[in-house]
């Protein structure tokens, strides 16, 4: 596996010879941030050796490297999900490539359903911690010590320091943020009302189908992580209405501008 990651990283280095210090993983409908990257080098995932190809509507499927708020960044415009049928090591492959490119800090964003009824669609939730309810783990299998230890510590998976900075920035930009625990299911089904009640009992504030695998791999290789969920809908059973991907994309449309200015300012001050 290490050889494949090196191959992908050296292919990218040939096209972008600077060292990106910040990695960005942009969730459903939040890929617009990548369009703000200056002097952008855009590489479709299909051109990068060993990279999987994204299949979800609303995900572009390219790596974008360049400058954002004066920092060298690498952004995933479109991500890979376990529910698409990729093995976890492919879902998280881009995070290890980012590590080899030199990334030390990462902002992971996602769209999520609110379990905590005080969170409403359009809210931005700073992730304080996650619950891995995917039923698996990207680190299962032989450990590659070149990335990290066999049993990684996850006591501060989401950087307190980055979160404090994000909170400061949010208040200066008059953006109201929440804080909470992200509970990751495998998907692709949205949760049943019973699963949402379980998520609540377990201490989840928002649910989604991504982020957990990428953050586990990021933490394994010592990358500092800030996680931001865009609350796109009330989770199943809270309002008596069905859920849809359209609703998710629609809500991200609404929060786009505040989300963009928020993350750009965070990148500037990281
Ligand atoms: C992207 C996304 C949005 C939601 N909403 C929800 O209630 N449950 C999910 N799993 N997801 N995932």
């Amino acid at each position: 596996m290490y050889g494949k990651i090196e191959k992908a990283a050296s292919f990218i280095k040939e096209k972008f010879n600077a060292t990106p210090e910040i990695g960005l993983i942009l969730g459903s409908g939040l890929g617009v941030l990548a369009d703000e990257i200056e002097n952008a080098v855009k590489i479709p995932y299909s051109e990068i050796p060993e990279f999987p190809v994204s299949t979800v509507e609303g995900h572009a499927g390219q790596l974008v490297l360049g400058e954002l708020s004066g920092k060298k960044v690498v952004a995933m415009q479109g991500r890979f999900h376990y529910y698409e049928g990729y093995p976890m090591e492919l879902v998280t492959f881009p995070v290890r490539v980012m590590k080899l490119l030199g990334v030390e800090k990462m902002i992971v964003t996602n769209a999520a359903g609110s379990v905590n009824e005080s969170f409403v669609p359009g809210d931005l939730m700073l992730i304080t911690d996650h619950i891995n309810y995917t039923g698996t783990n990207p680190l299962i299998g032989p450990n590659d010590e070149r990335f990290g230890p066999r049993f990684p510590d996850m006591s501060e998976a989401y950087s307190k320091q980055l979160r404090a900075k994000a909170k400061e920035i949010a208040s200066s930009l008059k953006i109201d943020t929440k804080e909470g625990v992200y509970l990751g299911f495998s998907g692709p089904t949205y949760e049943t009302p019973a699963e949402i009640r379980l998520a609540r009992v377990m201490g989840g504030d928002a649910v989604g189908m991504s982020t957990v695998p990428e953050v586990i791999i990021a933490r394994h290789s010592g990358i500092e992580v800030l996680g931001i969920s865009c609350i796109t809908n009330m989770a199943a059973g809270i309002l008596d209405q069905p859920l849809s991907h359209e609703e998710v994309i629609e809500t991200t449309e609404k929060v786009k501008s505040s989300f963009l200015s928020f993350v750009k300012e965070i990148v500037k001050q990281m």
Side-chain angles (χ1 to χ4, degrees):
M1 196 54 181
Y2 194 88
K4 290 179 178 172
I5 300 165
E6 272 180 321
K7 201 167 144 199
S10 49
F11 176 86
I12 295 161
K13 280 181 190 155
E14 272 159 36
K15 294 180 180 275
F16 183 78
N17 53 17
T19 300
E21 52 195 296
I22 297 171
L24 301 166
I25 301 183
L26 305 171
S28 305
L30 304 171
V32 283
L33 183 78
D35 299 333
E36 309 265 320
I37 293 174
E38 290 154 11
N39 310 320
V41 171
K42 302 186 178 192
I43 315 172
Y45 294 150
S46 53
E47 285 181 22
I48 307 175
E50 311 299 338
F51 244 69
V53 182
S54 187
T55 65
V56 181
E57 177 255 330
H59 281 254
Q62 62 183 1
L63 209 58
V64 184
L65 301 106
E67 269 109 48
L68 185 69
S69 314
K71 295 282 175 43
K72 296 273 187 288
V73 300
V74 50
M76 283 181 69
Q77 200 169 29
R79 56 152 42 108
F80 306 108
H81 304 84
Y82 186 48
Y83 61 70
E84 294 177 75
Y86 296 113
M88 274 294 185
E89 64 180 1
L90 268 192
V91 169
T92 57
F93 181 88
V95 176
R96 286 192 156 166
V97 171
M98 286 185 178
K99 176 66 183 179
L100 290 196
L101 291 176
V103 164
E104 290 304 325
K105 294 179 180 173
M106 182 169 277
I107 302 178
V108 191
T109 66
N110 61 52
S114 88
V115 170
N116 178 330
E117 300 195 22
S118 67
F119 294 4
V120 294
D123 277 349
L124 295 178
M125 180 187 91
L126 298 177
I127 301 175
T128 56
D129 205 355
H130 76 222
I131 297 172
N132 176 7
Y133 211 68
T134 63
T136 180
N137 189 303
L139 288 173
I140 287 174
N143 183 53
D144 189 332
E145 293 290 335
R146 288 169 289 191
F147 284 108
R150 168 77 282 183
F151 303 105
D153 163 62
M154 293 292 281
S155 58
E156 190 182 331
Y158 296 82
S159 163
K160 286 195 187 106
Q161 195 256 332
L162 290 181
R163 200 159 65 246
K165 187 177 292 294
K167 268 168 42 182
E168 248 173 63
I169 292 168
S171 54
S172 68
L173 293 177
K174 308 245 180 306
I175 292 174
D176 171 33
T177 54
K178 310 282 197 223
E179 286 195 301
V181 172
Y182 176 91
L183 192 148
F185 284 99
S186 67
T189 48
Y190 286 122
E191 298 70 28
T192 64
E195 285 163 347
I196 294 304
R197 288 195 296 276
L198 170 67
R200 189 172 294 122
V201 162
M202 290 196 285
D205 294 291
V207 291
M209 310 176 187
S210 69
T211 303
V212 164
E214 295 104 318
V215 172
I216 288 172
I217 292 295
R219 295 304 299 142
H220 181 244
S221 44
I223 294 174
E224 195 180 1
V225 173
L226 173 70
I228 306 174
S229 288
C230 167
I231 301 295
T232 55
N233 61 282
M234 301 308 283
I238 296 175
L239 307 174
D240 204 6
Q241 62 185 38
L243 275 59
S244 72
H245 188 58
E246 290 69 30
E247 179 192 2
V248 166
I249 296 294
E250 209 178 280
T251 312
T252 54
E253 288 295 316
K254 281 193 210 125
V255 298
K256 200 173 287 188
S257 56
S258 57
F259 173 77
L260 281 183
S261 45
F262 185 35
V263 178
K264 277 160 70 176
E265 192 56 33
I266 293 171
V267 170
K268 189 172 179 182
Q269 298 192 30
M270 248 173 152

